[in-house]
Amino acid sequence: MTYCVAMLLKEGLVAASDSRTHAGVDHIASYRKMTTWDIPGERAIVLLSSGNLSASQAVVGFLNEGLAEAAETPPTSMLTVSSMAAAARLVGFAIREVDRHDGPALRAQGVDASVVFILGGQIKGSDMRLFQIYSAGNFIEAGPETPFFQIGEVKYGKPIIDRVITTETHLMEAAKCALISIDSTLKSNLSVGLPLDLALIRRNAYEFQLRRRIEEGDPYFTNLRWRWSEGLRGVFNDIPNPNW
């Protein structure tokens, strides 16, 4: 399983993901769920993935190499696509191409080949945007009312985001919230695990402000986990018991 979250703010974009995959309790491994593309000063794009690992890796392969939607058009990749809307359509097209090629054989073996992606970023000349892209290649876009998307094991990490995140939230505060959201998921679900990947893009900078891998023992994340747990216990103890 996995957990990925991305937030679209006035200041920019925050994306975070875990890296655990498993096919049973005796087959656990780590693979990056976050892929990034950038040309500093021109574009910064991040893609988060959940679902069938071979299918999601095949989609990323297409996005790196380039696809042509029609015979007469040149291949387009994430480094050449002209806008974020076009990037979302390209991901959808890549999903359908992978399913067309591999889907029938996978389904014949009883394998779930579905994938879900979160795509965000900014290309010079267009606004910063955030999309969730489904297994059929269709997508929805984040907006002021819903400024974040989650994929994978979403339920444990959602309450903190619902209580904290608005479009006005500062970039580093949102990064802290994303890490707490992942920590809550780590605490409650063994199918989500370290290392984590965190990326920040400041609006109109067209480059990554931060790309960081958080390993076991990372000082900031270790401190965050301890302080959040202790803070919750403290608040719980401060609330009076029912007097019924």
Short mmCIF file of all heavy atoms in Angstrom, two decimals, residues 133-199:
data_model
loop_
_atom_site.label_atom_id
_atom_site.label_comp_id
_atom_site.label_asym_id
_atom_site.label_seq_id
_atom_site.Cartn_x
_atom_site.Cartn_y
_atom_site.Cartn_z
N ILE A 133 -5.39 12.06 -11.03
CA ILE A 133 -5.63 11.38 -12.30
C ILE A 133 -5.94 9.92 -12.02
O ILE A 133 -5.18 9.23 -11.34
CB ILE A 133 -4.41 11.52 -13.23
CG1 ILE A 133 -4.03 13.00 -13.37
CG2 ILE A 133 -4.70 10.90 -14.61
CD1 ILE A 133 -2.70 13.24 -14.03
N TYR A 134 -7.07 9.47 -12.55
CA TYR A 134 -7.57 8.14 -12.23
C TYR A 134 -7.13 7.09 -13.23
O TYR A 134 -6.51 7.39 -14.25
CB TYR A 134 -9.10 8.19 -12.13
CG TYR A 134 -9.59 9.11 -11.05
CD1 TYR A 134 -10.02 10.41 -11.36
CD2 TYR A 134 -9.61 8.71 -9.72
CE1 TYR A 134 -10.47 11.27 -10.37
CE2 TYR A 134 -10.05 9.56 -8.72
CZ TYR A 134 -10.47 10.84 -9.05
OH TYR A 134 -10.90 11.70 -8.06
N SER A 135 -7.51 5.83 -12.93
CA SER A 135 -7.04 4.70 -13.72
C SER A 135 -7.55 4.73 -15.15
O SER A 135 -6.94 4.14 -16.05
CB SER A 135 -7.47 3.40 -13.05
OG SER A 135 -6.50 2.41 -13.20
N ALA A 136 -8.66 5.42 -15.40
CA ALA A 136 -9.19 5.53 -16.76
C ALA A 136 -8.52 6.66 -17.54
O ALA A 136 -8.79 6.84 -18.72
CB ALA A 136 -10.69 5.74 -16.73
N GLY A 137 -7.67 7.43 -16.86
CA GLY A 137 -7.00 8.56 -17.52
C GLY A 137 -7.72 9.88 -17.35
O GLY A 137 -7.21 10.91 -17.77
N ASN A 138 -8.90 9.85 -16.75
CA ASN A 138 -9.62 11.10 -16.46
C ASN A 138 -9.06 11.75 -15.21
O ASN A 138 -8.36 11.10 -14.42
CB ASN A 138 -11.11 10.83 -16.30
CG ASN A 138 -11.41 9.82 -15.21
OD1 ASN A 138 -10.70 8.81 -15.09
ND2 ASN A 138 -12.43 10.06 -14.41
N PHE A 139 -9.37 13.02 -14.99
CA PHE A 139 -8.78 13.71 -13.85
C PHE A 139 -9.67 14.82 -13.33
O PHE A 139 -10.59 15.28 -14.02
CB PHE A 139 -7.39 14.27 -14.20
CG PHE A 139 -7.34 15.16 -15.41
CD1 PHE A 139 -7.64 16.51 -15.32
CD2 PHE A 139 -6.99 14.65 -16.66
CE1 PHE A 139 -7.57 17.34 -16.42
CE2 PHE A 139 -6.91 15.47 -17.77
CZ PHE A 139 -7.22 16.81 -17.66
N ILE A 140 -9.40 15.21 -12.08
CA ILE A 140 -10.05 16.36 -11.47
C ILE A 140 -8.95 17.31 -11.00
O ILE A 140 -7.79 16.92 -10.86
CB ILE A 140 -10.95 15.96 -10.29
CG1 ILE A 140 -10.16 15.23 -9.20
CG2 ILE A 140 -12.11 15.11 -10.77
CD1 ILE A 140 -10.96 14.92 -7.94
N GLU A 141 -9.33 18.57 -10.72
CA GLU A 141 -8.35 19.59 -10.35
C GLU A 141 -8.66 20.16 -8.98
O GLU A 141 -9.82 20.37 -8.62
CB GLU A 141 -8.34 20.71 -11.39
CG GLU A 141 -7.28 21.76 -11.13
CD GLU A 141 -7.15 22.77 -12.26
OE1 GLU A 141 -7.92 22.69 -13.24
OE2 GLU A 141 -6.26 23.65 -12.15
N ALA A 142 -7.62 20.40 -8.20
CA ALA A 142 -7.76 21.04 -6.89
C ALA A 142 -8.14 22.50 -7.07
O ALA A 142 -7.79 23.14 -8.08
CB ALA A 142 -6.47 20.92 -6.10
N GLY A 143 -8.83 23.04 -6.07
CA GLY A 143 -9.23 24.44 -6.11
C GLY A 143 -9.29 25.00 -4.71
O GLY A 143 -8.92 24.33 -3.73
N PRO A 144 -9.77 26.23 -4.54
CA PRO A 144 -9.80 26.87 -3.22
C PRO A 144 -10.59 26.08 -2.17
O PRO A 144 -10.23 26.06 -1.00
CB PRO A 144 -10.45 28.23 -3.49
CG PRO A 144 -10.20 28.48 -4.94
CD PRO A 144 -10.22 27.14 -5.61
N GLU A 145 -11.68 25.43 -2.60
CA GLU A 145 -12.50 24.68 -1.65
C GLU A 145 -11.84 23.36 -1.26
O GLU A 145 -12.02 22.86 -0.15
CB GLU A 145 -13.89 24.40 -2.23
CG GLU A 145 -14.72 25.65 -2.52
CD GLU A 145 -14.34 26.31 -3.83
OE1 GLU A 145 -13.60 25.68 -4.64
OE2 GLU A 145 -14.76 27.46 -4.05
N THR A 146 -11.12 22.74 -2.17
CA THR A 146 -10.42 21.48 -1.92
C THR A 146 -8.98 21.64 -2.40
O THR A 146 -8.65 21.27 -3.52
CB THR A 146 -11.11 20.31 -2.65
OG1 THR A 146 -12.50 20.29 -2.32
CG2 THR A 146 -10.49 18.97 -2.23
N PRO A 147 -8.11 22.20 -1.53
CA PRO A 147 -6.75 22.51 -1.99
C PRO A 147 -5.76 21.37 -1.84
O PRO A 147 -4.55 21.59 -1.96
CB PRO A 147 -6.36 23.68 -1.08
CG PRO A 147 -7.09 23.41 0.20
CD PRO A 147 -8.38 22.73 -0.19
N PHE A 148 -6.22 20.14 -1.57
CA PHE A 148 -5.28 19.03 -1.43
C PHE A 148 -5.90 17.76 -1.98
O PHE A 148 -7.11 17.61 -2.08
CB PHE A 148 -4.90 18.82 0.05
CG PHE A 148 -6.04 18.34 0.92
CD1 PHE A 148 -6.27 16.98 1.10
CD2 PHE A 148 -6.86 19.24 1.57
CE1 PHE A 148 -7.31 16.52 1.90
CE2 PHE A 148 -7.90 18.80 2.38
CZ PHE A 148 -8.13 17.44 2.54
N PHE A 149 -5.01 16.84 -2.36
CA PHE A 149 -5.40 15.50 -2.78
C PHE A 149 -4.58 14.48 -2.00
O PHE A 149 -3.43 14.72 -1.64
CB PHE A 149 -5.15 15.29 -4.28
CG PHE A 149 -6.11 16.00 -5.18
CD1 PHE A 149 -5.63 16.74 -6.26
CD2 PHE A 149 -7.47 15.93 -4.99
CE1 PHE A 149 -6.50 17.40 -7.12
CE2 PHE A 149 -8.35 16.59 -5.83
CZ PHE A 149 -7.87 17.32 -6.90
N GLN A 150 -5.19 13.32 -1.75
CA GLN A 150 -4.52 12.18 -1.13
C GLN A 150 -4.81 10.94 -1.97
O GLN A 150 -5.91 10.81 -2.53
CB GLN A 150 -5.05 11.91 0.28
CG GLN A 150 -4.94 13.05 1.26
CD GLN A 150 -5.77 12.75 2.50
OE1 GLN A 150 -6.98 12.94 2.51
NE2 GLN A 150 -5.11 12.26 3.54
N ILE A 151 -3.85 10.04 -2.04
CA ILE A 151 -4.08 8.74 -2.68
C ILE A 151 -3.43 7.66 -1.82
O ILE A 151 -2.52 7.91 -1.05
CB ILE A 151 -3.51 8.69 -4.12
CG1 ILE A 151 -2.02 9.05 -4.16
CG2 ILE A 151 -4.32 9.57 -5.05
CD1 ILE A 151 -1.39 8.91 -5.54
N GLY A 152 -3.95 6.44 -1.97
CA GLY A 152 -3.45 5.33 -1.17
C GLY A 152 -4.24 5.18 0.11
O GLY A 152 -5.46 5.27 0.13
N GLU A 153 -3.54 4.99 1.21
CA GLU A 153 -4.15 4.76 2.53
C GLU A 153 -4.44 6.12 3.16
O GLU A 153 -3.68 6.63 3.98
CB GLU A 153 -3.20 3.93 3.39
CG GLU A 153 -3.85 3.32 4.61
CD GLU A 153 -4.96 2.35 4.28
OE1 GLU A 153 -4.70 1.35 3.59
OE2 GLU A 153 -6.10 2.60 4.72
N VAL A 154 -5.57 6.73 2.77
CA VAL A 154 -5.79 8.15 3.04
C VAL A 154 -6.44 8.45 4.38
O VAL A 154 -6.31 9.56 4.89
CB VAL A 154 -6.63 8.79 1.90
CG1 VAL A 154 -5.95 8.58 0.56
CG2 VAL A 154 -8.04 8.21 1.87
N LYS A 155 -7.14 7.49 4.98
CA LYS A 155 -8.06 7.85 6.06
C LYS A 155 -7.37 8.29 7.34
O LYS A 155 -7.90 9.15 8.08
CB LYS A 155 -9.01 6.70 6.36
CG LYS A 155 -8.34 5.37 6.70
CD LYS A 155 -9.40 4.27 6.85
CE LYS A 155 -8.77 2.90 7.09
NZ LYS A 155 -8.09 2.41 5.85
N TYR A 156 -6.20 7.76 7.64
CA TYR A 156 -5.56 8.09 8.91
C TYR A 156 -4.95 9.48 8.90
O TYR A 156 -4.89 10.15 9.93
CB TYR A 156 -4.46 7.06 9.22
CG TYR A 156 -4.96 5.65 9.27
CD1 TYR A 156 -4.66 4.75 8.23
CD2 TYR A 156 -5.75 5.19 10.31
CE1 TYR A 156 -5.12 3.45 8.25
CE2 TYR A 156 -6.22 3.89 10.34
CZ TYR A 156 -5.91 3.02 9.30
OH TYR A 156 -6.38 1.74 9.33
N GLY A 157 -4.50 9.93 7.75
CA GLY A 157 -3.83 11.22 7.68
C GLY A 157 -4.73 12.38 7.30
O GLY A 157 -4.27 13.53 7.28
N LYS A 158 -6.00 12.13 7.02
CA LYS A 158 -6.88 13.19 6.55
C LYS A 158 -7.34 14.16 7.65
O LYS A 158 -7.45 15.36 7.39
CB LYS A 158 -8.10 12.58 5.86
CG LYS A 158 -8.97 13.58 5.10
CD LYS A 158 -10.03 12.87 4.29
CE LYS A 158 -10.81 13.83 3.40
NZ LYS A 158 -11.64 14.76 4.16
N PRO A 159 -7.63 13.69 8.88
CA PRO A 159 -8.16 14.63 9.88
C PRO A 159 -7.28 15.84 10.14
O PRO A 159 -7.79 16.97 10.24
CB PRO A 159 -8.30 13.75 11.13
CG PRO A 159 -8.55 12.38 10.59
CD PRO A 159 -7.68 12.30 9.36
N ILE A 160 -5.96 15.66 10.25
CA ILE A 160 -5.08 16.80 10.52
C ILE A 160 -5.10 17.78 9.35
O ILE A 160 -5.11 19.00 9.54
CB ILE A 160 -3.64 16.33 10.83
CG1 ILE A 160 -2.70 17.52 11.03
CG2 ILE A 160 -3.09 15.42 9.75
CD1 ILE A 160 -3.02 18.37 12.23
N ILE A 161 -5.16 17.26 8.11
CA ILE A 161 -5.20 18.16 6.95
C ILE A 161 -6.51 18.93 6.93
O ILE A 161 -6.53 20.14 6.67
CB ILE A 161 -5.02 17.35 5.65
CG1 ILE A 161 -3.67 16.63 5.66
CG2 ILE A 161 -5.10 18.27 4.43
CD1 ILE A 161 -3.46 15.72 4.47
N ASP A 162 -7.63 18.25 7.21
CA ASP A 162 -8.93 18.93 7.22
C ASP A 162 -8.96 20.06 8.24
O ASP A 162 -9.58 21.10 8.00
CB ASP A 162 -10.03 17.92 7.58
CG ASP A 162 -10.39 17.00 6.41
OD1 ASP A 162 -10.16 17.40 5.25
OD2 ASP A 162 -10.89 15.89 6.67
N ARG A 163 -8.28 19.89 9.36
CA ARG A 163 -8.31 20.90 10.42
C ARG A 163 -7.34 22.05 10.19
O ARG A 163 -7.53 23.15 10.73
CB ARG A 163 -8.00 20.24 11.77
CG ARG A 163 -9.08 19.30 12.27
CD ARG A 163 -8.65 18.63 13.57
NE ARG A 163 -9.65 17.66 14.03
CZ ARG A 163 -10.69 17.95 14.80
NH1 ARG A 163 -10.89 19.19 15.18
NH2 ARG A 163 -11.54 17.00 15.17
N VAL A 164 -6.29 21.82 9.41
CA VAL A 164 -5.20 22.80 9.34
C VAL A 164 -5.10 23.50 7.99
O VAL A 164 -4.90 24.73 7.94
CB VAL A 164 -3.85 22.10 9.66
CG1 VAL A 164 -2.66 23.01 9.35
CG2 VAL A 164 -3.82 21.66 11.12
N ILE A 165 -5.23 22.77 6.89
CA ILE A 165 -4.83 23.30 5.59
C ILE A 165 -5.92 24.14 4.93
O ILE A 165 -7.07 23.72 4.80
CB ILE A 165 -4.41 22.15 4.64
CG1 ILE A 165 -3.17 21.46 5.17
CG2 ILE A 165 -4.17 22.67 3.22
CD1 ILE A 165 -1.94 22.36 5.29
N THR A 166 -5.55 25.35 4.55
CA THR A 166 -6.32 26.19 3.63
C THR A 166 -5.34 26.72 2.59
O THR A 166 -4.12 26.53 2.70
CB THR A 166 -6.98 27.38 4.35
OG1 THR A 166 -5.95 28.33 4.73
CG2 THR A 166 -7.73 26.92 5.60
N THR A 167 -5.86 27.41 1.60
CA THR A 167 -4.95 27.97 0.58
C THR A 167 -4.02 29.03 1.17
O THR A 167 -2.99 29.35 0.58
CB THR A 167 -5.74 28.57 -0.59
OG1 THR A 167 -6.65 29.56 -0.07
CG2 THR A 167 -6.54 27.50 -1.32
N GLU A 168 -4.38 29.58 2.35
CA GLU A 168 -3.57 30.62 2.99
C GLU A 168 -2.42 30.05 3.82
O GLU A 168 -1.55 30.79 4.27
CB GLU A 168 -4.45 31.49 3.89
CG GLU A 168 -5.62 32.15 3.18
CD GLU A 168 -5.19 33.21 2.20
OE1 GLU A 168 -4.09 33.78 2.39
OE2 GLU A 168 -5.93 33.49 1.25
N THR A 169 -2.42 28.75 4.06
CA THR A 169 -1.38 28.13 4.88
C THR A 169 0.00 28.36 4.25
O THR A 169 0.17 28.22 3.05
CB THR A 169 -1.63 26.62 5.02
OG1 THR A 169 -2.96 26.40 5.52
CG2 THR A 169 -0.63 25.99 5.98
N HIS A 170 0.96 28.72 5.09
CA HIS A 170 2.31 28.95 4.59
C HIS A 170 2.96 27.64 4.15
O HIS A 170 2.63 26.57 4.65
CB HIS A 170 3.17 29.64 5.64
CG HIS A 170 2.73 31.03 5.96
ND1 HIS A 170 2.62 32.02 5.01
CD2 HIS A 170 2.35 31.60 7.13
CE1 HIS A 170 2.20 33.14 5.57
NE2 HIS A 170 2.02 32.92 6.85
N LEU A 171 3.90 27.74 3.24
CA LEU A 171 4.48 26.57 2.60
C LEU A 171 5.12 25.62 3.63
O LEU A 171 4.89 24.40 3.60
CB LEU A 171 5.52 27.03 1.57
CG LEU A 171 5.82 26.10 0.39
CD1 LEU A 171 4.57 25.79 -0.41
CD2 LEU A 171 6.88 26.73 -0.50
N MET A 172 5.94 26.15 4.53
CA MET A 172 6.61 25.30 5.50
C MET A 172 5.64 24.74 6.54
O MET A 172 5.82 23.62 7.04
CB MET A 172 7.75 26.06 6.19
CG MET A 172 8.99 26.18 5.33
SD MET A 172 9.64 24.55 4.84
CE MET A 172 11.07 25.03 3.87
N GLU A 173 4.59 25.50 6.88
CA GLU A 173 3.56 24.95 7.76
C GLU A 173 2.84 23.78 7.09
O GLU A 173 2.54 22.77 7.73
CB GLU A 173 2.55 26.04 8.12
CG GLU A 173 3.07 27.09 9.08
CD GLU A 173 2.04 28.15 9.38
OE1 GLU A 173 1.08 28.30 8.59
OE2 GLU A 173 2.18 28.84 10.41
N ALA A 174 2.59 23.91 5.80
CA ALA A 174 1.95 22.83 5.06
C ALA A 174 2.87 21.61 4.98
O ALA A 174 2.40 20.47 5.06
CB ALA A 174 1.56 23.30 3.66
N ALA A 175 4.16 21.83 4.82
CA ALA A 175 5.11 20.72 4.82
C ALA A 175 5.07 19.99 6.16
O ALA A 175 5.08 18.75 6.21
CB ALA A 175 6.52 21.22 4.52
N LYS A 176 5.03 20.75 7.25
CA LYS A 176 4.92 20.15 8.58
C LYS A 176 3.63 19.34 8.70
O LYS A 176 3.64 18.21 9.21
CB LYS A 176 4.97 21.24 9.65
CG LYS A 176 4.78 20.74 11.06
CD LYS A 176 5.00 21.87 12.06
CE LYS A 176 3.97 22.98 11.95
NZ LYS A 176 4.14 24.02 12.98
N CYS A 177 2.53 19.89 8.21
CA CYS A 177 1.25 19.19 8.26
C CYS A 177 1.29 17.91 7.43
O CYS A 177 0.77 16.87 7.86
CB CYS A 177 0.14 20.11 7.76
SG CYS A 177 -1.51 19.38 7.82
N ALA A 178 1.91 17.95 6.27
CA ALA A 178 2.01 16.75 5.44
C ALA A 178 2.78 15.66 6.15
O ALA A 178 2.40 14.48 6.11
CB ALA A 178 2.69 17.10 4.11
N LEU A 179 3.86 16.03 6.84
CA LEU A 179 4.64 15.03 7.57
C LEU A 179 3.89 14.47 8.76
O LEU A 179 3.97 13.28 9.05
CB LEU A 179 5.97 15.64 8.01
CG LEU A 179 6.94 16.01 6.89
CD1 LEU A 179 8.19 16.69 7.45
CD2 LEU A 179 7.33 14.78 6.07
N ILE A 180 3.13 15.31 9.46
CA ILE A 180 2.29 14.81 10.55
C ILE A 180 1.22 13.88 10.01
O ILE A 180 0.91 12.84 10.60
CB ILE A 180 1.67 15.98 11.33
CG1 ILE A 180 2.75 16.74 12.09
CG2 ILE A 180 0.59 15.48 12.30
CD1 ILE A 180 2.25 18.02 12.76
N SER A 181 0.65 14.23 8.86
CA SER A 181 -0.35 13.38 8.23
C SER A 181 0.23 12.00 7.89
O SER A 181 -0.41 10.97 8.13
CB SER A 181 -0.87 14.06 6.96
OG SER A 181 -1.79 13.25 6.27
N ILE A 182 1.44 11.99 7.37
CA ILE A 182 2.09 10.71 7.07
C ILE A 182 2.43 9.97 8.35
O ILE A 182 2.25 8.75 8.44
CB ILE A 182 3.35 10.93 6.20
CG1 ILE A 182 2.96 11.41 4.80
CG2 ILE A 182 4.16 9.64 6.10
CD1 ILE A 182 4.12 11.62 3.86
N ASP A 183 2.89 10.69 9.38
CA ASP A 183 3.20 10.03 10.65
C ASP A 183 1.96 9.36 11.24
O ASP A 183 2.05 8.24 11.77
CB ASP A 183 3.76 11.05 11.64
CG ASP A 183 3.95 10.44 13.01
OD1 ASP A 183 4.68 9.44 13.12
OD2 ASP A 183 3.37 10.96 13.99
N SER A 184 0.81 10.02 11.15
CA SER A 184 -0.43 9.41 11.65
C SER A 184 -0.75 8.13 10.89
O SER A 184 -1.24 7.16 11.48
CB SER A 184 -1.59 10.40 11.50
OG SER A 184 -1.35 11.58 12.24
N THR A 185 -0.44 8.11 9.61
CA THR A 185 -0.67 6.91 8.80
C THR A 185 0.34 5.82 9.15
O THR A 185 -0.02 4.64 9.25
CB THR A 185 -0.58 7.27 7.31
OG1 THR A 185 -1.43 8.39 7.05
CG2 THR A 185 -1.04 6.11 6.44
N LEU A 186 1.60 6.20 9.33
CA LEU A 186 2.62 5.24 9.75
C LEU A 186 2.24 4.57 11.07
O LEU A 186 2.46 3.37 11.26
CB LEU A 186 3.97 5.94 9.92
CG LEU A 186 4.68 6.47 8.68
CD1 LEU A 186 5.88 7.32 9.10
CD2 LEU A 186 5.13 5.34 7.79
N LYS A 187 1.68 5.36 11.98
CA LYS A 187 1.34 4.86 13.31
C LYS A 187 0.22 3.82 13.24
O LYS A 187 0.20 2.88 14.05
CB LYS A 187 0.89 6.03 14.19
CG LYS A 187 0.67 5.70 15.65
CD LYS A 187 1.97 5.49 16.36
CE LYS A 187 1.77 5.33 17.86
NZ LYS A 187 3.03 5.04 18.57
N SER A 188 -0.70 3.96 12.28
CA SER A 188 -1.90 3.13 12.25
C SER A 188 -1.91 2.08 11.17
O SER A 188 -2.79 1.22 11.16
CB SER A 188 -3.14 4.03 12.08
OG SER A 188 -3.26 4.93 13.15
N ASN A 189 -0.95 2.12 10.23
CA ASN A 189 -1.00 1.18 9.12
C ASN A 189 0.41 0.74 8.75
O ASN A 189 1.24 1.54 8.31
CB ASN A 189 -1.67 1.83 7.90
CG ASN A 189 -2.01 0.82 6.82
OD1 ASN A 189 -1.14 0.11 6.34
ND2 ASN A 189 -3.27 0.76 6.43
N LEU A 190 0.69 -0.55 8.92
CA LEU A 190 2.02 -1.07 8.66
C LEU A 190 2.36 -1.15 7.18
O LEU A 190 3.52 -1.38 6.82
CB LEU A 190 2.17 -2.47 9.28
CG LEU A 190 2.16 -2.52 10.81
CD1 LEU A 190 2.20 -3.97 11.28
CD2 LEU A 190 3.32 -1.73 11.40
N SER A 191 1.37 -0.97 6.31
CA SER A 191 1.64 -1.04 4.87
C SER A 191 2.19 0.27 4.33
O SER A 191 2.47 0.38 3.14
CB SER A 191 0.37 -1.43 4.11
OG SER A 191 -0.57 -0.38 4.12
N VAL A 192 2.33 1.28 5.20
CA VAL A 192 2.96 2.56 4.84
C VAL A 192 4.24 2.68 5.64
O VAL A 192 4.24 2.42 6.85
CB VAL A 192 2.01 3.73 5.13
CG1 VAL A 192 2.69 5.07 4.85
CG2 VAL A 192 0.73 3.60 4.32
N GLY A 193 5.35 3.06 5.00
CA GLY A 193 6.60 3.08 5.73
C GLY A 193 7.65 4.01 5.16
O GLY A 193 7.54 4.48 4.03
N LEU A 194 8.66 4.27 5.97
CA LEU A 194 9.82 5.06 5.56
C LEU A 194 10.65 4.29 4.53
O LEU A 194 10.55 3.07 4.45
CB LEU A 194 10.68 5.37 6.79
CG LEU A 194 10.04 6.27 7.85
CD1 LEU A 194 10.77 6.13 9.18
CD2 LEU A 194 10.07 7.72 7.38
N PRO A 195 11.49 5.02 3.77
CA PRO A 195 11.73 6.46 3.75
C PRO A 195 10.55 7.25 3.15
O PRO A 195 9.71 6.69 2.45
CB PRO A 195 12.97 6.60 2.86
CG PRO A 195 13.54 5.24 2.73
CD PRO A 195 12.41 4.30 2.86
N LEU A 196 10.55 8.55 3.42
CA LEU A 196 9.57 9.47 2.86
C LEU A 196 10.27 10.39 1.86
O LEU A 196 11.48 10.61 1.93
CB LEU A 196 8.94 10.33 3.96
CG LEU A 196 8.41 9.61 5.20
CD1 LEU A 196 7.84 10.63 6.18
CD2 LEU A 196 7.38 8.56 4.83
N ASP A 197 9.48 10.91 0.93
CA ASP A 197 9.98 11.93 0.00
C ASP A 197 9.12 13.18 0.15
O ASP A 197 7.89 13.09 0.20
CB ASP A 197 9.93 11.43 -1.44
CG ASP A 197 10.99 10.36 -1.70
OD1 ASP A 197 12.18 10.68 -1.56
OD2 ASP A 197 10.62 9.22 -2.02
N LEU A 198 9.78 14.33 0.21
CA LEU A 198 9.10 15.62 0.38
C LEU A 198 9.61 16.58 -0.68
O LEU A 198 10.82 16.67 -0.92
CB LEU A 198 9.37 16.17 1.78
CG LEU A 198 8.79 17.54 2.11
CD1 LEU A 198 7.27 17.48 2.21
CD2 LEU A 198 9.38 18.06 3.43
N ALA A 199 8.68 17.29 -1.33
CA ALA A 199 9.06 18.28 -2.35
C ALA A 199 8.24 19.55 -2.17
O ALA A 199 7.04 19.48 -1.87
CB ALA A 199 8.84 17.72 -3.75
#
